[in-house]
Amino acid sequence: MDFKTVRGNAKYYTKAFVPAKVLQSRLHKRVFMQFAEKTGLVYFGYVDQHNDEHRLVRGLTVSATHRDNNYCIGSFKGYDITVVERTDTIHFPGKAPRTQDWIIMAFDLHTVVDLPHVFIGLHTHSDTFYAQLFTKFTTLAKPPVGMFAGLSSAFAERYAIYTEPAKLLAAEKLFDGDVTKGMADHFGGLTIEVADGCLYVYAWHQRPSLPLLTKILQNGLWLAGMIDERAQLS
């Protein structure tokens, strides 16, 4: 076959170009579908946040502009669970717009006790992130020095706790030394929020994988159980 023949026959020298974003989207979809099949959750894929036919994952990342993909929902080991991959562009005065990506797993807590709003975030989160957080949730504040006296040193080195000043004692009972030590030992870069009867476990800017989703599930189930247990004792 000569060069002219090759040039004249597209099947010999052309390949369909697939953009990197499309390949990434397909890979992410495959991971979430595998996770849903493994855990018995139902996979829905992309969901429109303005559509009432699905349950919206709320918490600190909810906004009027976020986009939810790879949405899964169901029950596992007694807890109703929702999983979603969320993307949004964060705008804050004086800062350049910034794209944020989250993998979020929400656990419906069993307790009927009115729980405090709590966010446990990494010290490595940017100043812009915390500025935006406190603008959205003006009641959240870092407890005074001396509160949460039972925190493990490994936890304190990695995380900061933010909650409502009027509910400091309630938050302290939920996140005692045993719970914070467990988080320090096993959560890695995961962060959490307790709000409106739900536990939210977040992975920030991490590529989804079956081991990561399994880690979020296992840690979320453990922490949900600890919160439910301590809420009943308060």
Side-chain angles (χ1 to χ4, degrees), residues 2 13 50 133 135 138-139 175 203 205 212 225:
D2 59 24
Y13 73 94
H50 304 293
L133 173 67
T135 299
T138 57
T139 59
F175 296 97
H205 293 296
L212 174 60

Side-chain angles (χ1 to χ4, degrees), residues 44 46-56 71 73:
F44 286 94
Y46 168 76
V47 290
D48 185 345
Q49 64 163 307
H50 304 293
N51 188 334
D52 292 333
E53 292 183 1
H54 78 282
R55 176 183 174 182
L56 178 65
Y71 182 96
I73 193 167

Side-chain angles (χ1 to χ4, degrees), residues 5 14 40 46 50 52 65 70 120 126 140-141 144 150 162-163 168 171 190 198-199 230:
T5 302
T14 61
Y46 168 76
H50 304 293
D52 292 333
T65 58
N70 295 314
I120 299 181
S126 68
L140 288 182
Y162 301 88
T163 189
L168 280 175
L190 303 178
C198 287
L199 166 67
R230 280 152 177 75

Side-chain angles (χ1 to χ4, degrees), residues 25 44 56 68-69 77 87 94 98-99 103 118 135 151 203 209 211:
S25 177
F44 286 94
L56 178 65
D68 284 347
N69 209 350
K77 293 191 175 180
T87 303
R98 184 175 181 179
T99 300
I103 298 169
V118 180
T135 299
L151 296 183
S209 66

Side-chain angles (χ1 to χ4, degrees), residues 115-119 139-141 162-169 171 194:
L115 299 175
H117 186 187
V118 180
F119 174 68
T139 59
L140 288 182
Y162 301 88
T163 189
E164 304 161 273
K167 297 185 178 181
L168 280 175
L169 291 178
V194 177

Side-chain angles (χ1 to χ4, degrees), residues 135-206:
T135 299
K136 183 182 291 187
F137 299 105
T138 57
T139 59
L140 288 182
K142 193 171 183 178
V145 175
M147 293 296 294
F148 294 91
L151 296 183
S152 76
S153 57
F155 177 89
E157 289 173 0
R158 185 179 303 166
Y159 290 104
I161 298 179
Y162 301 88
T163 189
E164 304 161 273
K167 297 185 178 181
L168 280 175
L169 291 178
E172 186 178 17
K173 290 178 181 178
L174 297 180
F175 296 97
D176 57 23
D178 290 339
V179 171
T180 55
K181 183 179 185 305
M183 290 183 65
D185 290 343
H186 301 290
F187 272 53
L190 303 178
T191 57
I192 74 105
E193 180 184 18
V194 177
D196 301 320
C198 287
L199 166 67
Y200 301 93
V201 183
Y202 300 96
W204 306 77
H205 293 296
Q206 295 193 46

Side-chain angles (χ1 to χ4, degrees), residues 71-112:
Y71 182 96
C72 309
I73 193 167
S75 296
F76 190 82
K77 293 191 175 180
Y79 280 93
D80 290 338
I81 298 169
T82 309
V83 188
V84 72
E85 186 175 27
R86 175 168 290 172
T87 303
D88 200 3
T89 300
I90 306 301
H91 298 272
F92 195 79
K95 303 289 185 180
R98 184 175 181 179
T99 300
Q100 294 272 12
D101 301 297
W102 303 273
I103 298 169
I104 309 169
M105 202 170 293
F107 300 78
D108 285 1
L109 296 169
H110 294 161
T111 181
V112 295

